[in-house]
Amino acid sequence: ERYQFLFVLLSPPACPLALPAALPQTDVGHEDDFDFDNGLEMPALGFGCAFGQWSDKTQWMGFQPDLAWPVIPAALRAGFKHFDGALFYGTHKILGQTLGQSLATGSVKRSDFWITTKVAHPPNLIGLNSLGKSLNWSSEDLKGEVRKQIEMSLDELCVGYVDLLLMHWPGQWGTTDEAANRKLRKEIWEVFEEYYESGKVRAIGVSNYHKRHLETLLADCKVKPMVNQIEVSPYITQCELVDYCNGNGIVVEAWGPLGSGATGVLSDPLLKSLTEKYKKNIGQVILRWLFQRGICSLPKSSNEDRMRSNLDIFDFEISPEDMTSISNLNKDLSSSLGEEGVVPGADIA
């Protein structure tokens, strides 16, 4: 059973943006943030908290939260304030304890951090399913199960609210009933709106959505999605989808921006030549290319010096010509599916 990811686009007209009754203040905002319609500012760079192996089928595949123990504290030391997690990753407790220990010093406060989590991941052998980390999309009490996942996330993170909650997938892989999937997404989104309005969630969005999924969700929702988190790198550029989102006020987040060690993008000859031109490493060139496209990036590394360098992308600018050249590297090559021309999540109606 493969582990996949999706992409989506939204069109804004059907869903006016509603605000929760009380919106907690944040202190992470600065000029390199991305602005939401509700006034929130999300740091342009975040640290991805998924650890494990799910791209090489010749080896054991699965999540390994234990790998996060030294890495998440290193990311915090390196300067990351934005952390991207998910219930299915199994790293909530590690992230929560790491941030909690930092908060205990009194030198920082909760509003200094941006915490994202995701729920509604379909069952998959690479994660823990019997504990409720994945969602049975066929449950007779779907809304109740989603509420449990949201509150389990808050409990594991040891926080009163998360800054961003995402629907991890738009459905169960391989499902073909468009009407049924639309109904299920609407039910889940209604729970998202409920927690958004309560203030336990400061922003809501989707992950791995395609345009068709977003179009129906926009027609069904009260609060429009504020984020679409998709896989984007020079080898899977998603140009049409990204442009659509940017044009409709939906912030795009890029997971796997550096290819997750599975696509070879960090060895690309063109990108290597640009490192000499801009006096930056390949990772910095890629992350700057994404930033100039209006995309929030979620790079991950186990090396603390590399983490720091990933944050150092705001002192140079890539020329329009080079921006185009990087975009032309596109192969639609996903780090999770491992084959060209296959966009993750395309098999969900």
Side-chain angles (χ1 to χ4, degrees), residues 146-196:
V146 174
R147 291 187 185 100
K148 288 179 183 178
Q149 291 204 335
I150 295 172
E151 296 193 4
M152 185 189 304
S153 298
L154 292 170
D155 181 60
E156 290 183 351
L157 288 164
C158 296
V159 295
Y161 67 89
V162 291
D163 299 281
L164 177 62
L165 176 69
L166 302 178
M167 192 186 309
H168 209 150
W169 288 90
Q172 175 67 53
W173 302 305
T175 50
T176 59
D177 191 329
E178 294 182 7
N181 280 350
R182 175 177 180 173
K183 180 176 180 293
L184 296 174
R185 287 191 289 269
K186 182 176 185 293
E187 289 186 28
I188 294 172
W189 193 254
E190 286 172 349
V191 177
F192 274 44
E193 291 173 332
E194 172 187 325
Y195 279 82
Y196 174 67

Side-chain angles (χ1 to χ4, degrees), residues 6-15 166-167 169-170 181-182 185-186 189 204-221 223-230 238 240-242 244-246 248-252 348-349:
L6 291 172
F7 306 78
V8 192
L9 292 177
L10 315 175
S11 92
C15 296
L166 302 178
M167 192 186 309
W169 288 90
N181 280 350
R182 175 177 180 173
R185 287 191 289 269
K186 182 176 185 293
W189 193 254
I204 50 178
V206 295
S207 178
N208 299 314
Y209 266 48
H210 288 260
K211 181 178 180 180
R212 63 182 183 276
H213 305 128
L214 290 169
E215 288 176 334
T216 56
L217 182 60
L218 283 171
D220 294 336
C221 68
V223 181
K224 79 171 186 179
M226 303 168 199
V227 167
N228 182 25
Q229 185 181 124
I230 58 177
Q238 297 291 328
E240 183 179 350
L241 178 57
V242 170
Y244 180 93
C245 286
N246 286 344
N248 287 278
I250 299 160
V251 176
V252 175
I348 301 176

